[in-house]
Amino acid sequence: MFPRAFRARRLGCVGGLLALAVLIPAHALAEQAAASFDQDASSLGLALQRFGQATGLQLLYAPDLTADQRAPALRGRMSPERALSALLARTDLAFRKTPSGVIVIYRVKPAARREQEASPVVRHAQEIEPVVGLEAVVVTSGKRVETLGLSDASVQALSSQMMDRAGVRDFDDLTKLAPTLTISKTTQPGNNSINVRGVGTYSYSIGAEPSVVVVIDDVPQAFQAMAFTALADVRQVEILRGPQSTLFGKSASAGVIYITTNPASDVFAARAETMLTDDHERRLQASITGPVSDTLKFRLSAAYSRYRGNVFNLATRQWLNGQSDLNLRGKLVWTPGDNWAITLTPHFTRSLASCCVGADTYISPQATQGRAELSREAVLRGIVPGPDNHFARYDVNARGNASDKGVNLRVGGTVGSWRLTSISSVNRYYLYDRQDTDATDLDYSLIAPRAPRGGSANGGYFRIRAENQEVRLNSPAGGAWDYVAGVYVGRTRSERYFVRGSNSLGDYNGLPSLPTTNSTAYSRYLARTSSRTIAAFGQGAYAVNGNVSILSGLRLSHEKIGYRFDDLGNGVTYGAPDCSRVSPTLPVETCHSDTALSGRVGVQGKVTPGVTAYASYSTGYKGRAYDLTSSLTTRTLATSGPYAGRPIADAIAAQQPVASETVGSYEVGLRAVSPDRDLSLNLTAYRERFSGFQAQSRDDATGLNVLNSIGSLRAEGIESEFSARLSPRLTLDGAAAYSRAIMTDFDGAACYFGQTAAQGCVGGKQDLSGKPLFNAPRWSLTLNTLYRKPLGGDRLLELTAGYRWRSRVVYSLLQDPASVEPAYGVLDVSAGVSGQGWRLTGFVGNLLDARFAVTRGRDTQWNLVGADGQPAMATHWKPARDSGRHVGLRLAVDY
């Protein structure tokens, strides 16, 4: 265990930051920028719609509030608050603004109504009636504004306040609040997997799409690795569970992570925040926003973070599994007319990661290393394997350094009574990666004199270029139909350069492989893929009456995909010139097109006031895939099967592409809010069936593990979220999930290392039908509580506690028992004091000092058959960021 005490130097840094921050002036309120209004007298519903178009503000209210009510004419230049007050002056309605910036309109009490009638101008709702109960959660992931309590999909919304209190700072941290979300990590960011309800993508190829898409400000991320950075200047994260192909396309067959960043403001404001922990995590972020003129406003944000890591490399004397992020984002909003807004959002992210490496937890005495059968003592040298070991020896430090830059343009306005939105984006992503292949600091030139000095490393780069265009139309407010329809066009070009060679990524001086435990073979290739997609979509609800709505949705997609693969080590190319069908020995297909239809049907109804229910059936689709990995550089001849005597690489290419993956999902849900808004509950039950699930598995024709369509799997369960206001000072919220994600048809899987016939391995294969997916816990839950107490003046005390727990999981798709992670729970606590324009928080992460991993398993870098022929065992773990207690301090200052 590492000592975790504050160093005087770090305390000095915190003190200096605090002293600097308190020099910033306290928060000052300012009037919102005025807007021009020219509205005739009309129905209140239409007047409010025009108000929203003129100001860009989001209004939230029940349709029955505006029924049979009129609004006066509204002309001239005035603040949005004054304009809305005038529209509501002759009604019994008032309004308030939520922390997320949404205007909530509600009916006031009679006493409050008499008071406002006596006033020449209707006052802000917070002055008329204190905010009581829970805030209404507003979601926009359905490409329309609605409250979570009326949502007809399984979605969990995480506000910036919730994430701040729970210590959610990076994308990985979302699992602290979302029990149905898991993240699987292997060797580097390009191979990470995001899973919802236990389902994700299990492939290392750039020719395979993810099952869960990440969307930032309505722009889908073309490569999952782009998401693994700090959550800087984020307003809300919405996790949509189950197939979302109707609205989000073919990369959303298992779910969507929908991220919204903070908007530009009509009011000048600035914020700065700093954080420091005793285990070497540092963060600094700042933002500034406000008006430039009556028609132009801006927002600028910058964030820097650095975490040292939690595995110490004795060979290089450096820490690994850390990350440093720099995030820059700007927003410029121009309102050229009363009903239109144009938003330009450039961004730049730089991530320097030393992810992901493991440390040995157990090495049996008879285990040896390399073809020379080196003893464990000769390899470990100062490392004592154990369940809490944080030391390793690598002569190459892991690297995953990335840059992400792009810009998106959003144009929104009204065409008649419809809302038209256009979103255009261009993105460029680059990731340089390197890992230690043999996972030691041994010098193999001492064993094979012809070999280069050192060991073996692998790596290269990913280059992703993406352009997207979406145009959508939202229906007029107040009608029987509430829908969104649109067209999407996208193009993605991906490139992967990879070398498995010497430590410097060179060859082995003519040797085909190094005498490592696995006889590491040299490989070098350049793979390129292209994807062009055009789709038309629509989704909405038709109100049969005031209580029942019919849900429907449809998406028609057409896609063209292709690849080129250059085996640079052997001088073999597939797919050149474009769409070539030539290989050295077999015909291949390197270009394909596909048309797919996804849809959704359902019904939603109001059970009682405050309680709604829905039932739906949705389908999802993930396109065909190519297995573009080092397997395509294997020129060894197949010894059996239909391709006997042909190079294995040609046999793999001849079986491309892997068939598409489809899913059908049944879902029923209940949304309930108590009359006093002190309690809310969301409950969802689901059953999903995937066909043609794409995953790495054994290929009988080649004898290798390649990307295949493995058959079918089923995911079923129950998920819930609740919020309760137990007293004016105490709130409690949480989420829980029961999920059973199993492979229902997978009888040709490879065996895990050392698996015997008694354990199910026959002829090098095993039947995994009925077995769970990896990193898919059966049970998981989160609980968070917040207690607030005024301290006098403008000061406020906030105490929080968060607990998360999940049941045991297996980290190996092949069900290796050495990869089992036992159940664990983590408790986080914090205490904060805030005043006018500042907040100081101290926190303890993992108070109970629990130990848990992002992955663990059998370490096949060791010879797991001893020199005497007896079985040996070697296991390792990759400790999670929060594995172990840590203490921190955070200061935020607002102006």
Side-chain angles (χ1 to χ4, degrees):
M1 183 184 300
F2 291 107
R4 289 182 168 87
F6 280 109
R7 302 290 193 268
R9 175 172 57 85
R10 295 186 203 112
L11 285 175
C13 292
V14 174
L17 291 170
L18 293 176
L20 177 63
V22 297
L23 296 178
I24 300 177
H27 173 71
L29 294 176
E31 288 291 328
Q32 288 187 309
S36 297
F37 299 92
D38 188 11
Q39 301 177 195
D40 294 326
S42 65
S43 68
L44 181 58
L46 180 58
L48 292 177
Q49 180 182 339
R50 291 171 174 170
F51 170 85
Q53 294 166 354
T55 62
L57 296 172
Q58 294 179 352
L59 301 178
L60 185 63
Y61 56 90
D64 59 344
L65 290 181
T66 61
D68 301 322
Q69 300 218 54
R70 301 288 296 175
L74 191 65
R75 290 184 172 86
R77 190 164 189 81
M78 65 190 80
S79 70
E81 179 176 348
R82 183 174 180 182
L84 188 54
S85 297
L87 292 177
L88 302 180
R90 300 175 185 175
T91 72
D92 57 353
L93 305 178
F95 66 92
R96 61 183 174 86
K97 192 172 185 179
T98 71
S100 60
V102 175
I103 304 296
V104 178
I105 297 176
Y106 64 96
R107 201 178 306 278
V108 297
K109 296 177 181 179
R113 175 64 187 161
R114 286 193 298 269
E115 182 179 346
Q116 69 182 63
E117 284 176 345
S119 174
V121 177
V122 179
R123 299 188 301 164
H124 194 283
Q126 288 180 334
E127 299 176 21
I128 299 173
E129 179 183 68
V131 177
V132 296
L134 302 168
E135 289 285 352
V137 179
V138 179
V139 293
T140 58
S141 50
K143 301 189 178 182
R144 51 183 179 167
V145 178
E146 60 183 347
T147 62
L148 185 58
L150 296 176
S151 176
D152 54 30
S154 181
V155 55
Q156 183 181 6
L158 309 176
S159 67
S160 59
Q161 294 86 357
M162 291 174 62
M163 292 187 288
D164 181 64
R165 292 193 292 266
V168 174
R169 301 182 289 273
D170 298 317
F171 186 86
D172 297 31
D173 295 332
L174 291 174
T175 57
K176 293 181 179 181
L177 292 172
T180 55
L181 175 68
T182 58
I183 294 173
S184 300
K185 292 193 171 183
T186 54
T187 56
Q188 48 99 350
N191 293 339
N192 292 346
S193 174
I194 303 171
N195 318 307
V196 172
R197 293 176 173 171
V199 182
T201 296
Y202 310 102
S203 170
Y204 303 145
S205 170
I206 60 170
E209 299 166 347
S211 299
V212 178
V213 67
V214 178
V215 178
I216 302 177
D217 288 339
D218 275 327
V219 177
Q221 306 300 284
F223 195 48
Q224 276 200 344
M226 298 163 67
F228 290 92
T229 183
L231 293 174
D233 205 35
V234 168
R235 180 182 186 179
Q236 184 164 283
V237 176
E238 299 166 36
I239 300 170
L240 288 80
R241 299 166 293 214
Q244 307 292 328
S245 297
T246 304
L247 287 182
F248 295 97
K250 56 192 176 62
S251 296
S253 57
V256 173
I257 311 298
Y258 189 88
I259 300 173
T260 306
T261 60
N262 285 313
S265 173
D266 292 322
V267 179
F268 178 81
R271 179 179 177 85
E273 183 175 334
T274 183
M275 190 200 78
L276 193 65
T277 71
D278 69 330
D279 62 347
H280 300 270
E281 181 179 1
R282 300 178 181 180
R283 292 178 184 266
L284 180 64
Q285 56 184 351
S287 63
I288 184 171
T289 183
V292 177
S293 67
D294 290 343
T295 60
L296 192 66
K297 55 186 176 182
F298 76 98
R299 185 178 187 89
L300 296 173
S301 65
Y304 172 78
S305 61
R306 182 178 183 274
Y307 171 55
R308 180 188 66 182
N310 54 22
V311 170
F312 187 69
N313 188 352
L314 292 171
T316 63
R317 313 301 297 179
Q318 293 183 0
W319 288 88
L320 302 177
N321 289 348
Q323 183 161 324
S324 171
D325 291 324
L326 174 65
N327 289 272
L328 304 174
R329 184 177 296 272
K331 285 190 178 181
L332 192 63
V333 182
W334 178 43
T335 52
D338 293 341
N339 300 323
W340 289 86
I342 301 174
T343 304
L344 185 70
T345 306
H347 75 272
F348 173 79
T349 299
R350 186 207 64 193
S351 297
L352 307 177
S354 56
C355 176
C356 306
V357 302
D360 291 316
T361 53
Y362 176 75
I363 308 293
S364 62
Q366 63 269 40
T368 59
Q369 182 75 241
R371 294 303 179 190
E373 302 285 352
L374 299 175
S375 69
R376 68 172 192 169
E377 288 76 18
V379 177
L380 294 175
R381 304 194 326 275
I383 299 174
V384 180
D388 195 30
N389 174 37
H390 288 255
F391 293 96
R393 284 190 173 274
Y394 301 93
D395 52 6
V396 173
N397 285 324
R399 285 290 178 266
N401 299 339
S403 64
D404 179 10
K405 55 187 176 182
V407 62
N408 61 287
L409 177 67
R410 181 188 184 98
V411 180
T414 58
V415 178
S417 298
W418 286 266
R419 183 74 180 176
L420 180 67
T421 305
S422 169
I423 302 166
S424 312
S425 67
V426 176
N427 208 90
R428 300 291 183 263
Y429 178 80
Y430 180 86
L431 168 64
Y432 169 80
D433 68 295
R434 183 174 293 194
Q435 300 83 39
D436 193 317
T437 307
D438 59 277
T440 71
D441 63 347
L442 297 177
D443 183 0
Y444 282 90
S445 67
L446 300 178
I447 302 171
R450 186 176 166 187
R453 182 176 176 81
S456 175
N458 66 82
Y461 67 80
F462 296 85
R463 181 178 285 122
I464 313 296
R465 292 169 290 179
E467 297 90 29
N468 301 284
Q469 174 65 56
E470 179 174 302
V471 178
R472 63 176 184 250
L473 196 68
N474 287 80
S475 59
W481 271 106
D482 180 14
Y483 61 84
V484 57
V487 176
Y488 169 84
V489 179
R491 181 186 181 190
T492 301
R493 290 160 292 172
S494 304
E495 187 174 297
R496 171 58 163 157
Y497 174 72
F498 175 84
V499 179
R500 183 174 57 241
S502 67
N503 282 351
S504 60
L505 297 187
D507 61 24
Y508 297 135
N509 292 337
L511 293 175
S513 63
L514 283 187
T516 61
T517 298
N518 296 326
S519 295
T520 307
Y522 176 73
S523 175
R524 185 165 73 99
Y525 68 81
L526 176 64
R528 302 182 183 94
T529 66
S530 64
S531 172
R532 297 176 178 87
T533 303
I534 182 169
F537 64 89
Q539 181 167 299
Y542 176 74
V544 178
N545 53 46
N547 294 322
V548 179
S549 297
I550 303 299
L551 312 176
S552 62
L554 203 64
R555 187 183 189 98
L556 180 65
S557 300
H558 180 72
E559 177 186 46
K560 291 183 178 181
I561 58 175
Y563 80 89
R564 170 174 173 163
F565 187 94
D566 292 287
D567 179 355
L568 302 175
N570 295 302
V572 176
T573 296
Y574 305 100
D578 288 351
C579 301
S580 171
R581 304 181 63 184
V582 176
S583 83
T585 63
L586 292 167
V588 298
E589 296 283 350
T590 60
C591 291
H592 295 84
S593 62
D594 206 0
T595 300
L597 190 66
S598 301
R600 182 174 191 256
V601 294
V603 60
Q604 182 183 38
K606 182 184 296 183
V607 180
T608 64
V611 179
T612 61
Y614 75 93
S616 66
Y617 175 75
S618 304
T619 63
Y621 163 83
K622 189 167 75 169
R624 299 182 187 186
Y626 298 116
D627 185 21
L628 307 179
T629 61
S630 58
S631 298
L632 276 183
T633 66
T634 306
R635 305 306 301 173
T636 306
L637 302 182
T639 58
S640 62
Y643 299 106
R646 306 294 179 90
I648 288 177
D650 293 356
I652 294 174
Q655 299 176 78
Q656 306 270 20
V658 176
S660 58
E661 175 183 307
T662 59
V663 57
S665 174
Y666 295 93
E667 192 171 287
V668 294
L670 185 72
R671 310 287 181 254
V673 180
S674 63
D676 58 5
R677 297 200 57 82
D678 280 345
L679 178 65
S680 69
L681 173 67
N682 295 334
L683 189 65
T684 306
Y686 65 91
R687 184 184 179 93
E688 302 173 344
R689 185 176 182 86
F690 290 77
S691 299
F693 186 67
Q694 297 171 356
Q696 301 289 141
S697 62
R698 183 181 177 85
D699 176 51
D700 290 336
T702 63
L704 294 182
N705 290 332
V706 298
L707 183 65
N708 272 326
S709 180
I710 67 172
S712 62
L713 66 87
R714 185 175 70 246
E716 56 192 9
I718 298 175
E719 50 208 14
S720 65
E721 299 86 41
F722 78 92
S723 296
R725 186 173 182 267
L726 304 179
S727 75
R729 296 179 180 177
L730 182 64
T731 58
L732 177 68
D733 62 75
Y738 167 79
S739 178
R740 187 168 179 261
I742 61 172
M743 296 170 281
T744 55
D745 181 18
F746 192 8
D747 58 2
C751 301
Y752 59 81
F753 191 93
Q755 186 176 6
T756 65
Q759 295 170 318
C761 182
V762 179
K765 297 188 295 183
Q766 63 170 321
D767 186 359
L768 292 181
S769 302
K771 300 297 183 180
L773 289 176
F774 77 85
N775 197 12
R778 185 69 60 90
W779 293 94
S780 52
L781 65 88
T782 64
L783 287 173
N784 298 277
T785 183
L786 169 64
Y787 176 78
R788 291 176 171 174
K789 180 181 180 181
L791 297 178
D794 60 358
R795 289 174 299 163
L796 179 69
L797 172 67
E798 291 188 342
L799 303 177
T800 68
Y803 182 75
R804 62 189 188 274
W805 177 89
R806 77 174 197 174
S807 59
R808 70 187 290 275
V809 297
V810 58
Y811 278 122
S812 167
L813 184 68
L814 303 180
Q815 311 298 301
D816 187 344
S819 71
V820 172
E821 173 78 25
Y824 66 85
V826 179
L827 176 65
D828 302 319
V829 297
S830 70
V833 178
S834 61
Q836 187 72 14
W838 62 272
R839 182 183 179 192
L840 180 65
T841 305
F843 61 91
V844 182
N846 196 352
L847 178 65
L848 304 181
D849 205 27
R851 293 292 190 268
F852 58 101
V854 295
T855 187
R856 63 172 73 240
R858 200 178 303 253
D859 192 344
T860 55
Q861 299 301 335
W862 291 84
N863 291 308
L864 299 184
V865 177
D868 57 0
Q870 296 300 310
M873 176 59 77
T875 60
H876 71 284
W877 76 322
K878 296 177 183 177
R881 158 65 185 94
D882 290 338
S883 179
R885 185 186 303 114
H886 52 282
V887 180
L889 194 63
R890 183 171 61 247
L891 172 69
V893 180
D894 294 285
Y895 174 77

